Amino acid sequence: MRTSTATPDITLSVSSHPKWVETVMNDFDSFLQDHADCERKASAMAMSFVAKYPDRKAMIPKLIATALEELRHFQQVHRILEKRGVSLTHELTEDPYVKQLVALARSGKEDRFLDRMLLAAIIETRGAERFRLVYEALEDEKLKDFYFKLYESEMNHGNIFLEMVENYFSKVEIQKRLKELVQAEGKILEGLKFRAALH
């Protein structure tokens, strides 16, 4: 088994249920379609932060780099879909997991900025956990290698969002709010239906 070099700074409050992995493996083409959609959304999210917070100059280069990497991931998943004869979805559907998480963000300029960045870090960390589970369940060696590399990349993205926000808030403040959001994320995850989707 491959050994990861990623060092997560976020400890999720709950693990994904084995039933989720089973659901994904039973309809892997649908999972790939959703995965492609998630990569497009992740790239757009990073660029939306650039548009919303142009004055936060310290984090803009990292946001641009993250957006480009997510777009490359989309390109890679699209190639896999093409080889399997599967099309992209016609529309980007609303993600119930992300919708509920974003609803946790507080109002107020600074509070909302902190929450949105921490939620992005949590989403990336959850994605990494699930990519690891997919990697472990797959038998195709090329797909296993692809999802292992994605696991490391997404874990690093979670860390990057934490690093970016440390430019603007104390570690004590970050960790306090992060703990609250991680607990809320776990409750949201446990309330979701199992789908052949990343979330």
Side-chain angles (χ1 to χ4, degrees):
M1 180 175 286
R2 299 166 180 83
T3 302
S4 172
T5 57
T7 54
D9 291 331
I10 298 175
T11 302
L12 299 170
S13 63
V14 299
S15 299
S16 292
H17 197 282
K19 183 70 176 177
W20 173 80
V21 184
E22 182 183 335
T23 303
V24 167
M25 291 299 116
N26 286 337
D27 190 1
F28 199 68
D29 285 347
S30 291
F31 171 75
L32 285 170
Q33 288 177 311
D34 180 78
H35 178 187
D37 287 349
C38 287
E39 297 293 358
R40 282 193 280 179
K41 291 174 185 175
S43 179
M45 178 188 70
M47 288 308 298
S48 75
F49 285 149
V50 173
K52 288 176 182 174
Y53 306 111
D55 55 323
R56 313 274 185 175
K57 295 182 180 180
M59 69 182 194
I60 289 178
K62 287 184 178 180
L63 285 170
I64 294 171
T66 299
L68 289 171
E69 188 169 2
E70 300 287 18
L71 198 56
R72 283 194 295 272
H73 293 167
F74 166 67
Q75 182 182 48
Q76 291 168 336
V77 180
H78 178 245
R79 286 172 180 163
I80 294 171
L81 285 168
E82 282 191 312
K83 288 179 181 179
R84 296 169 73 97
V86 180
S87 300
L88 294 168
T89 57
H90 288 289
E91 296 180 4
L92 291 177
T93 58
E94 191 172 62
D95 188 323
Y97 167 80
V98 172
K99 182 180 180 180
Q100 290 181 67
L101 280 179
V102 171
L104 299 173
R106 296 167 295 178
S107 59
K109 184 179 179 181
E110 292 303 303
D111 285 344
R112 189 164 188 83
F113 170 63
L114 174 61
D115 287 358
R116 289 303 303 270
M117 295 295 285
L118 293 181
L119 289 169
I122 292 169
I123 291 168
E124 296 287 345
T125 303
R126 178 61 68 187
E129 182 237 16
R130 291 196 153 183
F131 287 147
R132 177 181 57 80
L133 293 173
V134 169
Y135 145 71
E136 291 173 350
L138 285 166
E139 295 182 1
D140 182 287
E141 285 300 319
K142 287 186 178 179
L143 283 175
K144 282 180 76 72
D145 185 60
F146 174 62
Y147 276 97
F148 179 79
K149 289 176 180 175
L150 277 181
Y151 156 62
E152 291 203 308
S153 175
E154 296 300 305
M155 190 64 79
N156 287 330
H157 284 178
N159 292 344
I160 286 170
F161 277 102
L162 286 185
E163 291 170 7
M164 284 190 281
V165 84
E166 284 176 0
N167 289 305
Y168 308 102
F169 299 91
S170 71
K171 288 190 176 183
V172 171
E173 187 176 2
I174 291 169
Q175 288 303 316
K176 180 178 182 295
R177 185 56 177 158
L178 180 61
K179 184 177 180 180
E180 294 170 351
L181 291 174
V182 164
Q183 292 298 320
E185 187 267 353
K187 292 178 181 177
I188 288 171
L189 192 80
E190 290 180 325
L192 295 175
K193 294 180 180 179
F194 298 119
R195 303 186 302 141
L198 187 57
H199 305 126

